Amino acid sequence: MRPSPSRDAGRKLLSVAAISAALLAGTTTTVAARTSTEKAEVTPAAQAAAPADRLIVGYKSGAAEATSDKAADADARAKGEKAGEDLDFQRRIGTGAALVDLGAELKKADVADVIAQYQADPQVAYVVPDRLNKPQADPNDTEYAKQWDLFESTAGMRVPGAWSTSTGSGVTVAVIDTGYVAHSDVAANIVGGYDFISDTAVSVDGDGRDSNPADPGDWYATDECGAGTGSSGSSWHGTHVAGTIAAVTNNNKGVAGIAYTAKISPLRVLGKCGGYDSDIIDAITWASGGSVSGVPANTNVAKVINMSLGGSGACTSATQSAINAAVNRGTTVVVAAGNDNDNASKYSPASCSNVITVAATGRTGSRASYSNYGSIVDIAAPGGEMSTGTANGILSTLNSGTKTPSTESYAYYQGTSMATPHIVGLVALMKSANPSLTPAQIESAIKANARALPGTCSGGCGAGLADATKTVQAVASSGGSTGGTTFSNTTALAIPDAGSAVESPIAVSGRGGNAPSALQVGVDITHTYRGDLVIDLVAPDGSTYRLKSSSTSDSADNVSATYTVDASSETANGTWKLRVQDVAAQDTGTLNSWKLTF
C-alpha cells in the first residue's frame, strides 16, 4: 500500500449523484451482473447530496485482487494510470472488498473514466461509492414533535443538522437565573452551581449565599414587589432555560436539548421580585473562572453564560467590567434583548458591549410582538409567539408547583428569555466542535452564517435568524480560523466632541483578489455616550460601509465590538480606513484601536 500523507490536504468530496451517474453510464454487462440491492446503491436519486471520495470495489472469487492487498493496490495503480488519475488502495473492508481512494482534486468528468476502468474488468463484481453517512433519525423524546423551534423549515433554528457534528460534549454552560428545580429530563446534565442571592428577602430560602442553587420558587403576592405589580406564581424560569439548552435527549421522554451532552451549572441570582446587579456581577465573575470573595473557587468554569434577564437603563460600568473580564477569560456571554417592544439600547445587559444580544422570533419567522429590537441586537432566535396559539411557544422543562416545588412538568413559554438559550445552546455546540474558538470568533461565525428572517422585523433584529447547522459546520471545518491574516492599527486617535469625522488607516497587502464576504472589523473605542457615534468602514476605492449609526437612546459607555461586512466586491489590497464621527455635544472619546481580519 502506498502512503499518501498529503492527499487529505487537497481532498475534494464528490456528490454520490455524480459517482452514481458515472456508474450507470458504464457498460450494461457489468450493471446487469449486480444484484437488485447493488442497483439501488448506485441510483443517482439515492443520497444525491451525500459526499464521497472513495470507491468500494468487490472482486469476483478467484481473482488475485480479491485476497491480495498487493494485487488490489497494483490494480488500483494500473486503472488510475489508464484514466490519468492517482488512485490509492486504502485497505480491505470486512466483506473482503477493496477500498479505493479516488485521489485529491478529482473532477466530476474524471470519475467516469476511473469507474469505466473497473466496470470493464471482468474480475470486478461490483463498484459502488463509499458514501459518507450522517445520522438521520429524529430524537425519540416524546415531546420532540412539538419543538418546532429546533427543526421546522420556516422559522426553526435548523438544529438537527448540527448534531452529526456536535452535541455539546465537554462544554459547561452557566445559567444565571432563578436556579434549578429538580427535573429528571435535565438532571444528568446538571453540575455544581451556586446561590449568589445575598439578601434573604429575595432568596426566600432562609439563608444568604451558599452552594445550593435549588430554586424554592419566586412567587409573590399582590403588589408585594411594588405598587401595581400585581401577583405571580413561581416561574421556574431557570429550569425552563436549562431544558432548552441541555435537556437529556434520546431518552424516550420529554424534550430534546440543543446541546444535549453539554453540562449546566445553575447560578441563582433571581428570587422574589428579581435580583440585584451586584449578585449578577459576582455570578458572571465566578462562572467565568474569576475570584469572588467568600465563595469557593469554581470547579465548573463555563465556556458560555446565559443571561435571560434584564432591567431598564443602559449598561453600567460595573456590569460592563464584569462582562469584559469574563470575555477576556474566554467565556462567551449571551443576553436577552428584552420583552418591552422597545429599543434594546434602553435595557441592561442587552445594551452592554462584548455580549451577544438576542431578539425573539415567532413561528412564522417575524420578530415576536414583545421582543426588543435595534442596532444593538446581534442575532435573532426562536422565542415564541403564543398570541397565535399556545403551541407556538417554546416547550421546555418546568415544575407544576404554583408557589413551592411540586411535580416536574413541561410547559410552553415565550420571550427573549427563551430565544437566548437557543443561541447559548448553539455556542455550546460550536465550542464542542472547535474548542479553540474565541468569543469574538463565535459571535462573528453566528452572524456570518445566519439566514435572512423568513418574516419581518421592524427596528432591527441583527444579522438574521441563527442557523445552527450552517454555523457548526462552518466552525468545525475552519479549525477556528476567521479566514487568515489580521491587520491592525493600535495608534490612539482622539474623537472630537460634536466635531468632524476622524479616520484611522490600515494598509492591507499580500492578500490578492477581493476581500471576503464576511470581513471582520474589530473596533475598540472609549466614549462616555456611545449613542453619539457614527462609525463607517471605508474601502480602498472610497466605498463606505455603515457599522454603527447614532442613537439618542443609547447612553452606554464605549464600543467594543466586531462587525461583519460583506466586502466581496472590494479589492483586498489597499488602504482601508475606519471613519468615526461624534455627532452630538458634551461627551468625548478615543479610538483606541481597530483591526481587519480576512
Side-chain angles (χ1 to χ4, degrees):
M1 184 187 301
R2 289 173 295 148
S4 52
S6 63
R7 296 173 74 89
D8 288 342
R11 172 68 59 232
K12 179 166 70 176
L13 298 178
L14 296 177
S15 72
V16 167
I19 296 176
S20 299
L23 283 162
L24 291 177
T27 62
T28 56
T29 302
T30 306
V31 174
R34 300 193 189 103
T35 65
S36 58
T37 300
E38 288 161 354
K39 286 181 181 178
E41 286 183 313
V42 298
T43 301
Q47 293 197 14
D53 59 7
R54 301 181 297 196
L55 297 175
I56 298 173
V57 181
Y59 291 94
K60 294 179 180 179
S61 60
E65 295 87 352
T67 56
S68 168
D69 291 355
K70 183 177 180 180
D73 184 32
D75 190 43
R77 292 193 202 186
K79 286 180 169 57
E81 289 172 1
K82 289 181 180 179
E85 303 298 337
D86 181 23
L87 302 191
D88 185 20
F89 169 77
Q90 293 286 294
R91 61 181 172 84
R92 189 78 58 179
I93 65 174
T95 60
L99 184 63
V100 177
D101 191 295
L102 286 171
E105 301 301 327
L106 191 68
K107 296 181 173 61
K108 290 181 181 179
D110 300 328
V111 73
D113 293 337
V114 171
I115 290 171
Q117 293 295 324
Y118 277 105
Q119 288 180 323
D121 186 344
Q123 297 301 315
V124 172
Y126 62 86
V127 54
V128 296
D130 183 21
R131 300 182 302 198
L132 184 64
N133 296 275
K134 295 184 179 182
Q136 298 296 322
D138 287 335
N140 60 25
D141 303 76
T142 55
E143 304 300 313
Y144 176 71
K146 300 175 183 178
Q147 293 182 272
W148 63 267
D149 46 308
L150 303 191
F151 62 80
E152 278 193 355
S153 58
T154 299
M157 210 174 76
R158 298 179 177 173
V159 174
W163 285 333
S164 60
T165 303
S166 172
T167 57
S169 296
V171 177
T172 297
V173 177
V175 175
I176 298 179
D177 212 293
T178 63
Y180 164 73
V181 61
H183 199 294
S184 63
D185 208 9
V186 188
N189 286 333
I190 297 294
V191 296
Y194 208 82
D195 180 356
F196 279 93
I197 301 178
S198 52
D199 188 325
T200 55
V202 176
S203 69
V204 297
D205 61 356
D207 55 29
R209 291 183 171 181
D210 58 42
S211 60
N212 182 10
D215 185 351
D218 57 354
W219 67 276
Y220 54 88
T222 301
D223 292 350
E224 189 176 5
C225 296
T229 58
S231 62
S232 175
S234 291
S235 68
W236 317 114
H237 190 272
T239 302
H240 197 280
V241 168
T244 297
I245 298 168
V248 177
T249 301
N250 285 315
N251 62 341
N252 282 297
K253 71 176 294 181
V255 295
I258 292 172
Y260 58 80
T261 58
K263 301 302 181 184
I264 298 288
S265 174
L267 306 186
R268 188 168 180 248
V269 298
L270 302 178
K272 180 169 286 193
C273 304
Y276 288 101
D277 277 356
S278 54
D279 291 340
I280 294 169
I281 287 168
D282 280 351
I284 294 169
T285 302
W286 191 79
S288 58
S291 177
V292 176
S293 178
V295 180
N298 185 4
T299 58
N300 298 295
V301 175
K303 297 301 182 183
V304 54
I305 289 172
N306 188 110
M307 288 201 288
S308 292
L309 50 78
S312 60
C315 184
T316 66
S317 296
T319 299
Q320 187 64 67
S321 177
I323 289 171
N324 288 347
V327 171
N328 287 339
R329 295 184 194 104
T331 300
T332 300
V333 181
V334 186
V335 304
N339 302 327
D340 305 279
N341 188 28
D342 197 1
N343 196 308
S345 64
K346 300 177 184 178
Y347 301 87
S348 179
S351 62
C352 295
S353 300
N354 262 350
V355 299
I356 300 175
T357 301
V358 186
T361 54
R363 198 166 184 173
T364 64
S366 293
R367 177 175 68 86
S369 59
Y370 55 81
S371 177
N372 286 354
Y373 51 82
S375 60
I376 205 69
V377 171
D378 294 300
I379 196 70
E385 182 73 87
M386 292 170 65
S387 63
T388 58
T390 300
N392 293 334
I394 305 300
L395 183 66
S396 188
T397 48
L398 212 71
N399 191 278
S400 64
T402 57
K403 290 186 177 180
T404 57
S406 183
T407 57
E408 65 180 43
S409 63
Y410 300 86
Y412 290 96
Y413 273 6
Q414 67 174 23
T416 55
S417 283
M418 283 61 255
T420 302
H422 282 76
I423 299 301
V424 167
L426 172 54
V427 174
L429 295 178
M430 296 167 71
K431 282 293 287 185
S432 180
N434 190 335
S436 67
L437 291 172
T438 67
Q441 288 174 331
I442 286 170
E443 179 178 347
S444 296
I446 291 173
K447 291 179 178 179
N449 292 286
R451 58 189 175 111
L453 286 184
T456 60
C457 176
S458 57
C461 285
L465 182 62
D467 187 320
T469 295
K470 186 178 178 183
T471 304
V472 171
Q473 289 176 349
V475 300
S477 63
S478 71
S481 170
T482 53
T485 309
T486 295
F487 300 84
S488 61
N489 186 327
T490 58
T491 301
L493 181 63
I495 305 169
D497 184 30
S500 301
V502 294
E503 293 183 342
S504 175
I506 289 178
V508 175
S509 61
R511 293 300 302 170
N514 285 3
S517 59
L519 177 65
Q520 305 299 296
V521 187
V523 179
D524 179 13
I525 294 175
T526 301
H527 198 276
T528 51
Y529 194 104
R530 69 182 180 208
D532 291 354
L533 298 178
V534 176
I535 306 174
D536 293 300
L537 176 68
V538 184
D541 67 355
S543 300
T544 59
Y545 297 84
R546 179 58 49 90
L547 305 181
K548 179 190 176 300
S549 300
S550 61
S551 172
T552 57
S553 61
D554 186 1
S555 60
D557 295 342
N558 309 329
V559 177
S560 179
T562 299
Y563 302 93
T564 301
V565 174
D566 182 356
S568 56
S569 63
E570 305 290 344
T571 301
N573 288 338
T575 300
W576 297 73
K577 299 176 183 177
L578 191 74
R579 180 182 294 161
V580 185
Q581 185 174 13
D582 185 326
V583 297
Q586 298 183 347
D587 292 274
T588 59
T590 301
L591 170 60
N592 301 309
S593 64
W594 72 288
K595 61 184 179 181
L596 293 171
T597 303
F598 287 82

